[in-house]
Structure formats: structure tokens, C-alpha cells
Amino acid sequence: MSDSYREAGVDLAAADRAKDRLKALVDSTRDANTLSELGAFGGLYAVPEGVDAPVLVSSADGVGTKLKAAFMTGRHDTVGQDLVNHCVNDILVQGARALFFLDYLATGRMDESVVTDVVTGVALACRENGCALLGGETAQMPDFYAEDEYDLAGFIVGIAPRGGIIDGTSIEAGNVLVGLRSSGLHTNGYTLARRIVFDRMGLGVDDAFPELDRSVGDVLLDVHRSYARQLLPLVRDGVVRGLVHNTGGGLPGNLPRVLPGGLGAVVERSSWAPGPLFDVLREGGGVDRDEMYRVFNMGAGMVLVLAPDRVDGVMERLRDAGESPWVMGEIEAVEAGDPEVRYAD
Amino acid sequence: MSDSYREAGVDLAAADRAKDRLKALVDSTRDANTLSELGAFGGLYAVPEGVDAPVLVSSADGVGTKLKAAFMTGRHDTVGQDLVNHCVNDILVQGARALFFLDYLATGRMDESVVTDVVTGVALACRENGCALLGGETAQMPDFYAEDEYDLAGFIVGIAPRGGIIDGTSIEAGNVLVGLRSSGLHTNGYTLARRIVFDRMGLGVDDAFPELDRSVGDVLLDVHRSYARQLLPLVRDGVVRGLVHNTGGGLPGNLPRVLPGGLGAVVERSSWAPGPLFDVLREGGGVDRDEMYRVFNMGAGMVLVLAPDRVDGVMERLRDAGESPWVMGEIEAVEAGDPEVRYAD
């Protein structure tokens, strides 16, 4: 029994070849604090100087079943961007800028070109967010994943001065909620979205998505955007009291995560149009309106909590940065037992 | 279509209940630098003071197909320990002590007791290694994982003073290799080991493992040990020139990872007995001897590279710490084209 490991479905030589290709991608994300080369047991990153009482802010996440859209279309260079941007947003809402990222890619059978495509997306988003791709793990697990399928998870570390951490404790009744547009479904609600689009509506990935001049595959793969470039300057200036990344659980699940006790949020759903993507999913799936807002971001990917006297200035700066912000509600006092998020309409 | 998300196989309420149980486990790992509570978008960890030119050392890893042994036995409280200890060892070999850890657990169907068991193991090993469990992601992906199966990955961040990073650059010809015993297969070679034990030898998880007075399931689930308690004092004292965590690829795959150019390692396989576990796998699988050393750790889980005048003192300290270290070979000069690791026997 020679080459036993290969017979058992694990190809170490293919893993080595993939590693060579990945090196150039990893190197494209290096910065002055990156001290290690790919292949070390751990990645090395010098703690940046000049941050007062530095706090590391860290998050782990996956892409979830959005990966199925990549499998169905054969496009693997976007899911890595989804993953990095999701993680960047998750630490951004606590006031941190990204330092470095690591990925975990588990496959049934190592396909070098798929691995390279996935990491190409990871590296692109790392560069866009000024974040080093410090390492990762590519695991071949033949008995776990279907042929040509994989799972992808990521892990980010960022930094903030302790005094710059956004924890929501300064939020008060009367503070204003300002929304920023999402870029599609981001990475949430895909299990339901796929069921609606493929099973109930009977569409294929190459069909046109109703009301949109694009294919179903393209719409489902729209990249989960990063808000770091637009929001970090506001965070640094200390003008943001709370930030909410609107992911799984939607507004009712995520707004309470930043609210101090005794406060709730009232959201005016008529203040924005979610857009045709969400309209089609709601109608095609016969989904209850409130359920739509629990599962999907409904066009609002990020929510800022601002003191009223900051609203005009912040919205102007956001428009200058290319955003289309809108006032979507406000913070109110609530009694024990009241819902933390209620809809005005 | 109300409760659409649950119908689609994603149970947000179960996810919430699991989160409550996890909170107590996470809290058991808190230390003075842990600034966040579970449920924040990202975990917060203050950079420890008093470390000269602090460098963050980070690694991502999975448990691999060792998870199948957990599925077959229904024991889910050890794989989390495997994962944390593996990650702790990966940054230890670069001179770092662990600060915090995050896990990624992806399942087909959320079984709260399984999730709790897995995280119990993660939290136990975090406590043992003085490492905070800072957060993580539990993903329900019904179309990815078989019912009652899951994948588990982890991310660790540690710290070392820049001058205390072990990068192997001080290794010279004539340096001595000292081995430390592994605690079974650790987390490598499970695809082959399962094929041998279950397919070729026809054993079940409850059968006695040949030559060992324990069940197949228990032997396969032996926890991947941490070497941090024994080795961190030596690392701090600067008496270790190189450390090799003997994982996938075995000694020929891992020793070269710390060797400067022009150097190789000669290993005397007769200097230690791998033990009955590896003897049984080799005979039961008819596996070539060299292949065994590429796939499995063969009883040597960690290798130290020491200057000759340090060997006696370090081995005495290791014995005092409960280890059974042995001299397993040495570093030699090699010409271009020579193998980086050769066996003396």
C-alpha cells in the first residue's frame, strides 16, 4: 500500500501546488507590519504603534449557503470577497479597522483552480480593505463534502484605541437611525432565497431575474460590500454612537445588539424602498412582510445611530463618499417586555 | 409562508437557545484583557502590556476527518480540545503564548446538545492553555452537511516579543533534535487511519483496539495534546532554536519548515518506538514504512532544535515537567538537491 494517503482521497502534492499559487496572492496583501511568509506554522503581524491603549477586535464568520450559488454558476472568485467584507463590517461596527485575515477552506477534493479563485477573491477584498491575508488552512476532507463543493470560513483581527471602541453605551432616546444601502442579499437568507428562486419560482441560474436586467446567478452572487472606506473616517472623528451590521436576524435581530437596556428602536419601513430584488422574493415566495425583515437585510446593509445634531453633517459626508443615506427611524425608551424593535408602518 | 426560514431548515430559535448555553462556557475562559460579552459583532481583547515590540501570531486550523470518530462514537466533547491544542501548538512553535481563540462550527441541523458538547471541549482547552474564547460562529447549513454531522475550525491569536520570535534562523549544523511524545494520532492521518481500522481490519468503534486495552473509538479520539505548559518556560528563557509541531506531512513535511537554506535533518528512527498504535496501523494497513512517517506523527508530536550544550539542561527541565524527551537526530549541512530530511535507519 504505497501512496496510501492519495488512495484514501487526500492529495498532498495537489495541496502543495495550490500553496505555491496562493503565495503570490498572499504576498499581494502584505503591509509593513506583516512579518511572516506563507508556510510558517502561524502568521506574524506586529502590533501597530501609535494606537492608544490598543484593543484587538476579532470576529469569525462563514459565507453560509451563498456558496451554493457559486457551485451552481461555477464562479468562485466572489465568495472570498463576501467573507472578508462581512468580517470587516463586523469589526467596523465596534470602531476597529482591519489588520489581518485568515481563511479556512474545506473541500471534498482539492481543485487547484477553484482554490485559487476563492483565494483570489479573499486577497482582492483584503487589499481593498487594507488588511493582510496572514494565513489560512485548506483542508481536504473527502468524506465530508460533496465532490466540487466546499465550505469557507474566515477570521479577522482589527484594532481600535480603547477610547474609540463603539459599544452603544452613549446611545439615548431620540437618537436617529440612518441607513446605508446594501449590495443585494449580502450573505444572509440564502437558504430561503434559493428555495424561493429555484424551487418555488422554478428559475435556473442563467435565467433573467424578474424585474432586473441580470441573470439569477449574478444577482445571487452580488458581493457583500464593505462599509469601511465610508465609515472609518466618521468612526475616527467620534461622531457615531452606534453601528449595526444588518446580517442574519435582520433589523429586529441586530439593532438590539447595540442598544443599552431600556431603549428600543422604531423603524419606518416606508422611509426606503427595499428594491425589486426583495419585492420579487417576497411575492415569489409568498413570504410574510415581517418575516422578510427578519431574514433579509431589505436593502439596509448598515445602520448608524447618531445624535440628532450630527445627522445633517454625517449624511453630507456620506453622500460625498458616494452613499445614499436616509433617515430610517429613531431610538425610543421602552418598558420591560416591550419589543426592542417596532415598525412605525 | 410564515416561519419560512424554519421550513427551509434553519432554526433561529434553536440557534438562540444554543447561544445562551454557550455564554456560560465562554465566560469560564474570560481573563483581565477580555473586554466583550458574547453576542457582540466582534470580540474585544486588550493588547497585553509589558511585551516588548509585541507581535501577534495567528493560525487557522480544522480538526479534519477525526470528526468522523466523534460522529461514530457520539462523543463530541474532545474534538474542541483537539482544535484548540493544535492551534496553541502552531503558534507556540513560533514563540507565542495564546491570547484568544474563536471557533467556526458548521452543522446540517442545529443539535443544541452536540453544539454544547463541542464548545465544552473548546472552553476546557482554552482554560487549560490560559486563552480566552473570544467568540465564534455557529452556522446552520442544511444542504451542506449530513444530518448530525458538522465541521469545526478554529482561529487563534497569540503574542510574543519581537525578539522572542522563534523563526529557526539561529539553527546550525550540529544542532540536536529532541522529540516529545504525542498523545496518539493528534489530528492527522485520520482519513487513512479510518480506512485501515474500519475497512481493512473490519473493526467497529466499540471493539478493542489490538495491543491496547481500550476501544477503537477511545483510541481514535485521544486528545491532541498541548505542549504550551512544558515549553513556554523554555521559550521565554531563549534556549530553544527551533520548534516543530509534527502535523500533516509528518517529520519530512514539517522539519523543513523551520530550517534555513543549506541545512537538513537526519532522523534516527531507532531512537524511539512509535508504540503499538502505529505498529497496528502499519501492519493492518500494509503501509510502507516511509509513508507511515509522512502521514502520522509516529509518536513524536513535537520536536525541539537545540544547541548541543543546551541538550542536557533542557531535557532535565522537560523531565521535571513530566515529559519523556529523547534525542532523535541532528541538523546537518546539505547540498542543493539533497533531501531536507533523511533517515539514518
Side-chain angles (χ1 to χ4, degrees):
Chain A
M1 199 180 192
S2 75
D3 276 337
S4 312
Y5 217 51
R6 184 164 194 159
E7 282 169 23
V10 174
D11 187 344
L12 296 177
D16 278 345
R17 283 195 304 272
K19 207 171 272 184
D20 286 341
R21 294 199 196 186
L22 302 187
K23 188 176 183 317
L25 291 169
V26 168
D27 284 346
S28 75
T29 70
R30 293 179 70 90
D31 62 22
N33 294 86
T34 311
L35 304 180
S36 55
E37 302 281 344
L38 190 73
F41 285 94
L44 305 179
Y45 196 91
V47 175
E49 294 177 7
V51 180
D52 282 341
V55 174
L56 302 174
V57 184
S58 188
S59 186
D61 224 308
V63 182
T65 58
K66 186 172 188 173
L67 291 173
K68 288 278 185 190
F71 305 156
M72 293 173 79
T73 57
R75 279 191 60 194
H76 303 284
D77 59 344
T78 59
V79 290
Q81 298 174 66
D82 292 313
L83 182 66
V84 172
N85 290 339
H86 189 151
C87 287
V88 165
N89 292 339
D90 272 349
I91 64 167
L92 169 67
V93 297
Q94 302 200 275
R97 69 177 171 88
L99 298 179
F100 61 83
F101 185 88
L102 293 90
D103 67 310
Y104 171 77
L105 175 59
T107 69
R109 188 180 57 81
M110 178 72 61
D111 180 322
E112 292 162 57
S113 75
V114 171
V115 171
T116 305
D117 283 353
V118 170
V119 180
T120 296
V122 170
L124 170 62
C126 280
R127 289 194 303 273
E128 287 175 346
N129 288 287
C131 169
L133 176 52
L134 200 61
E137 168 74 4
T138 306
Q140 291 188 81
M141 297 167 70
D143 299 337
F144 276 68
Y145 295 95
E147 183 99 347
D148 298 323
E149 295 209 350
Y150 53 86
D151 195 6
L152 179 64
F155 162 72
I156 199 163
V157 172
I159 197 164
R162 185 145 180 183
I165 295 286
I166 303 174
D167 59 6
T169 48
S170 65
I171 294 175
E172 298 170 343
N175 284 175
V176 177
L177 302 177
V178 169
L180 295 181
R181 297 298 307 194
S182 61
S183 52
L185 295 176
H186 284 184
T187 46
N188 288 100
Y190 274 84
T191 297
L192 180 57
R194 288 184 301 115
R195 187 153 298 192
I196 293 170
V197 172
F198 300 122
D199 299 348
R200 284 185 66 124
M201 299 174 66
L203 296 169
V205 285
D206 296 323
D207 291 334
F209 195 98
E211 311 290 328
L212 295 172
D213 193 23
R214 303 165 60 217
S215 73
V216 167
D218 284 350
V219 168
L220 291 180
L221 284 177
D222 269 335
V223 170
H224 187 156
R225 56 167 298 200
S226 162
Y227 295 88
R229 183 176 61 78
Q230 293 79 6
L231 292 181
L232 275 176
L234 298 168
V235 167
R236 264 188 224 111
D237 291 348
V239 296
V240 177
R241 295 200 174 188
L243 282 175
V244 180
H245 188 201
N246 190 15
T247 59
L251 291 171
N254 287 294
L255 276 169
R257 295 170 77 177
V258 305
L259 297 181
L263 294 180
V266 53
V267 173
E268 291 177 47
R269 289 187 284 192
S270 60
S271 66
W272 80 101
L277 166 62
F278 299 99
D279 296 341
V280 168
L281 288 174
R282 184 177 164 192
E283 284 161 33
V287 183
D288 175 78
R289 188 184 186 200
D290 285 357
E291 174 84 352
M292 288 293 293
Y293 283 80
R294 271 198 300 272
V295 175
F296 299 113
N297 66 58
M298 301 305 282
M302 181 70 76
V303 181
L304 293 75
V305 186
L306 301 171
D309 62 352
R310 294 290 192 184
V311 173
D312 289 347
V314 166
M315 287 180 69
E316 190 176 335
R317 288 177 68 178
L318 287 168
R319 281 188 290 265
D320 288 346
E323 296 294 320
S324 302
W326 75 98
V327 172
M328 64 187 292
E330 65 172 15
I331 303 298
E332 61 178 6
V334 294
E335 303 287 332
D338 284 355
E340 288 173 284
V341 174
R342 68 179 179 87
Y343 301 115
D345 48 12
Chain B
M1 200 179 190
S2 73
D3 276 338
S4 312
Y5 217 52
R6 184 165 196 157
E7 282 168 24
V10 174
D11 186 344
L12 295 177
D16 278 345
R17 283 195 304 273
K19 209 171 271 185
D20 285 342
R21 294 199 196 185
L22 303 187
K23 188 175 183 320
L25 290 169
V26 168
D27 284 346
S28 75
T29 70
R30 292 180 71 90
D31 62 24
N33 295 85
T34 311
L35 305 181
S36 55
E37 302 281 344
L38 191 72
F41 286 94
L44 304 178
Y45 196 91
V47 175
E49 293 176 7
V51 179
D52 283 340
V55 174
L56 302 174
V57 185
S58 188
S59 187
D61 225 308
V63 181
T65 58
K66 186 172 188 172
L67 291 172
K68 287 279 183 189
F71 305 156
M72 293 173 79
T73 57
R75 279 192 59 195
H76 302 284
D77 59 344
T78 60
V79 289
Q81 299 175 65
D82 291 313
L83 182 65
V84 172
N85 290 338
H86 188 150
C87 287
V88 165
N89 291 339
D90 272 349
I91 64 167
L92 169 66
V93 298
Q94 303 200 272
R97 69 177 171 88
L99 296 179
F100 61 82
F101 184 88
L102 292 92
D103 68 312
Y104 172 78
L105 174 58
T107 70
R109 190 181 55 82
M110 178 72 59
D111 180 323
E112 292 164 57
S113 74
V114 171
V115 171
T116 305
D117 283 352
V118 169
V119 180
T120 297
V122 170
L124 171 62
C126 280
R127 289 195 302 274
E128 288 176 345
N129 288 288
C131 169
L133 176 52
L134 200 61
E137 168 74 4
T138 306
Q140 291 188 82
M141 296 167 69
D143 299 337
F144 276 67
Y145 296 95
E147 183 99 345
D148 297 323
E149 296 209 351
Y150 54 85
D151 196 6
L152 179 64
F155 304 97
I156 200 164
V157 172
I159 197 164
R162 186 145 180 183
I165 295 287
I166 302 175
D167 58 7
T169 48
S170 65
I171 294 175
E172 298 170 344
N175 283 175
V176 177
L177 302 177
V178 169
L180 295 180
R181 297 298 307 193
S182 62
S183 51
L185 295 177
H186 286 184
T187 46
N188 287 100
Y190 274 84
T191 297
L192 180 57
R194 288 184 301 115
R195 188 153 297 194
I196 293 170
V197 171
F198 300 123
D199 299 347
R200 285 185 66 124
M201 298 173 67
L203 296 169
V205 285
D206 296 323
D207 291 333
F209 196 98
E211 312 289 328
L212 296 171
D213 193 23
R214 304 165 60 218
S215 73
V216 166
D218 284 350
V219 168
L220 291 181
L221 284 176
D222 269 335
V223 171
H224 188 157
R225 57 167 297 200
S226 163
Y227 295 88
R229 184 175 60 78
Q230 294 79 6
L231 291 181
L232 275 175
L234 297 169
V235 166
R236 264 188 224 111
D237 291 349
V239 297
V240 177
R241 294 200 174 187
L243 282 175
V244 180
H245 188 201
N246 190 15
T247 59
L251 291 172
N254 288 293
L255 275 170
R257 295 171 75 177
V258 305
L259 298 181
L263 294 180
V266 52
V267 173
E268 291 177 48
R269 289 186 284 192
S270 60
S271 67
W272 82 99
L277 166 61
F278 299 100
D279 296 341
V280 167
L281 289 174
R282 184 175 163 193
E283 285 161 31
V287 183
D288 175 78
R289 189 185 185 198
D290 285 356
E291 174 83 352
M292 288 292 293
Y293 282 80
R294 270 199 300 272
V295 175
F296 299 113
N297 67 58
M298 301 305 283
M302 181 70 76
V303 181
L304 292 76
V305 185
L306 301 171
D309 62 351
R310 294 290 193 182
V311 175
D312 289 348
V314 165
M315 287 180 70
E316 191 176 334
R317 288 177 68 178
L318 287 167
R319 280 189 290 265
D320 288 348
E323 297 294 320
S324 302
W326 75 97
V327 173
M328 65 187 293
E330 66 173 14
I331 303 298
E332 61 178 8
V334 293
E335 303 286 333
D338 284 356
E340 288 173 284
V341 174
R342 70 180 177 87
Y343 300 116
D345 48 12

